[in-house]
Amino acid sequence: MRRLCIITGALLLAGCQGFNSSGHQDSTDKKADKSLYQTSSIHASLQTHNRTADLGRAYSTAPHSSSNRQQRQQVEVEVEAKQTDLWLDLAKQMQLDVPLDHPRVVAQRKWYLKHPSYMRSVSERARPFLYLIKEEIEKRNMPMELVLLPVVESTFDPKAYSHGHAAGLWQMLQGTGKNFGLHFDSFYDGRYDVMASTRAALDYLEYLNGFFDGDWVLALAAYNSGEGRVQRAMKANRRQGKPTDYWSLSLPKETQNYVPKLLALAAILKHDSHYGMDIPALPNRPQLAVIEVEGQVDLNMAADLAGMNRGRLKELNPAYKKASTSPSRSAEILVPVAHAEGFEIAMADLPEPERAPKGQYIVRRGDSLGVIAKRHGTTVEALRQANNIRGNNIRTGQSLVLSGTYVAAAAPTASKSGSVYKVKRGDSLSAIANRFSVSINELLSWNQLANRHSLRAGQSLIVANSR
């Protein structure tokens, strides 16, 4: 019995020691685990803050998770930027091979990078027109690098004119323009028409590409110096056993730099992150609408009815030499997208005879702008605008357009201090807009009209903003 008690006591003592030893091991492991977790990103993501009444325990965001989320957001922003920036979209579509290390390309690239303000100003001039040109190139499945030709040719100035008598965005000669469908008369020069000249220039480039068996670089060189000159240079190289690619030809210095200027700029756009040139982003959507109108149209009247500045309309349509379109043909007029609907409604509402200018006047001996303006119920400034006259000089026998010198008809009696007009039979929105010197869009907005067909005789129409 005594031996049994001793054995039992020994076993109980061993059990107590084992328990204490096990408890100490657990504590040590927990301390080790705690030390490990404190240095891990998992533990850092679950740091306990002070308890709040509503949220119980609040946890900080894991540093690595925040970093990943910021990276994802940055990628999303960059992708969205590439979709919304027209320059980036154009660069993505460029396909011509560029010899980046060719000395002439390197020299032009260095020039662009040294003069970043050049492309900033060019980009601003290109803003209204670039998207329209992109669309024309896409329709024909031509290399998108061609969109850069107006940069090289005219710095995207639609009114550019060179000492060699080339004109417009694409710097076309009159003879070349005629060969590729441009129209010319005393009212209109197609080289200054952005859309017409773009189509003519692309027709010419397609012809040159075919002439040189699909070689776009030779086509570009020929656009600058003519296909005959490039062809003669190729024949000279063949006789001497030399290559006939563009880079091997003996061409005028201007042509030797012409193609590298375009290709160097294309390379900068395609590798913008590498070269780091800051070109202002442009919206990747149309800025202008092309409106087709039939018959001769007084541009000053059109601008007024569309609710836009007269000078701005002329800036966008420099092909028209006078303040009206040509009487011999229909016209395409560029207007800002925001004014397109009002302009189309105005043209649809306005009978064709009312669209044309009042007529012309032949200057007689002793005439002055003041005398003529008084005689025809207009102003000297209106005559200057209609005929592109600076100052007061006119000459006997000169033909003056009285376009744009119209005076709005006296407004019918309106109630509420002249802010409301009762529609009469035969009225149209364009006629009412003209009468009260407001735009079609304003009439539609003020009166909550769905379209121009919503007008009816006897209707009360707000014709002036009450503010």
Side-chain angles (χ1 to χ4, degrees), residues 266-288:
I268 290 172
L269 290 171
K270 285 192 286 187
H271 307 286
D272 62 312
S273 59
H274 175 73
Y275 293 114
M277 188 162 126
D278 181 25
I279 301 177
L282 296 181
N284 194 11
R285 59 181 183 273
Q287 302 300 295
L288 301 175

Side-chain angles (χ1 to χ4, degrees), residues 64-79:
H64 73 284
S65 299
S66 176
S67 176
N68 290 341
R69 181 161 58 254
Q70 289 174 354
Q71 289 176 0
R72 288 196 300 271
Q73 290 174 345
Q74 181 64 28
V75 169
E76 291 171 359
V77 168
E78 289 176 358
V79 169

Side-chain angles (χ1 to χ4, degrees), residues 98-337:
V98 180
L100 296 175
D101 57 349
H102 194 284
R104 280 186 270 163
V105 175
V106 171
Q108 295 301 327
R109 183 171 67 240
K110 286 181 176 178
W111 188 93
Y112 283 121
L113 296 176
K114 189 178 179 180
H115 302 86
S117 62
Y118 174 82
M119 276 307 296
R120 285 198 290 269
S121 60
V122 167
S123 183
E124 191 57 35
R125 284 194 293 273
R127 179 183 293 271
F129 313 115
L130 191 60
Y131 190 91
L132 294 177
I133 296 174
K134 167 202 164 186
E135 286 187 315
E136 291 297 319
I137 293 173
E138 286 176 335
K139 288 176 188 176
R140 301 168 183 242
N141 197 29
M142 297 171 78
M144 193 51 71
E145 284 85 350
L146 300 181
V147 80
L148 302 177
L149 260 183
V151 178
V152 177
E153 287 285 354
S154 64
T155 67
F156 254 100
D157 180 0
K159 296 183 283 188
Y161 186 81
S162 75
H163 64 275
H165 309 296
L169 281 182
W170 299 89
Q171 288 292 281
M172 299 193 79
L173 295 170
Q174 187 166 339
T176 306
K178 285 182 177 179
N179 289 340
F180 288 91
L182 290 184
H183 178 77
F184 299 85
D185 61 31
S186 60
F187 285 80
Y188 174 85
D189 185 333
R191 295 173 299 172
Y192 295 103
D193 185 319
V194 171
M195 295 309 300
S197 66
T198 295
R199 289 190 288 265
L202 296 181
D203 287 345
Y204 184 29
L205 286 161
E206 282 183 321
Y207 158 77
L208 292 172
N209 179 249
F211 188 91
F212 291 105
D213 300 321
D215 190 321
W216 279 110
V217 177
L218 288 175
L220 288 168
Y223 189 90
N224 175 252
S225 62
E227 60 267 38
R229 187 186 294 271
V230 174
Q231 190 178 48
R232 288 192 296 273
M234 293 174 70
K235 288 180 179 178
N237 273 26
R238 285 195 193 98
R239 287 194 297 268
Q240 300 173 46
K242 295 179 179 180
T244 57
D245 63 285
Y246 163 77
W247 305 101
S248 302
L249 299 180
S250 177
L251 293 167
K253 185 175 181 180
E254 180 184 329
T255 309
Q256 287 184 356
N257 292 327
Y258 181 84
V259 176
K261 282 181 182 178
L262 185 144
L263 295 181
L265 182 55
I268 290 172
L269 290 171
K270 285 192 286 187
H271 307 286
D272 62 312
S273 59
H274 175 73
Y275 293 114
M277 188 162 126
D278 181 25
I279 301 177
L282 296 181
N284 194 11
R285 59 181 183 273
Q287 302 300 295
L288 301 175
V290 183
I291 309 297
E292 296 185 14
V293 294
E294 296 182 0
Q296 189 177 25
V297 176
D298 184 313
L299 293 175
N300 287 331
M301 178 183 289
D304 293 346
L305 294 180
M308 63 179 295
N309 181 272
R310 292 181 177 186
R312 181 58 177 159
L313 187 68
K314 291 178 183 178
E315 286 176 3
L316 298 174
N317 298 274
Y320 302 107
K321 302 177 185 179
K322 301 175 182 178
S324 67
T325 63
S326 174
S328 62
R329 61 199 305 272
S330 297
E332 286 183 337
I333 299 177
L334 293 178
V335 298
V337 170

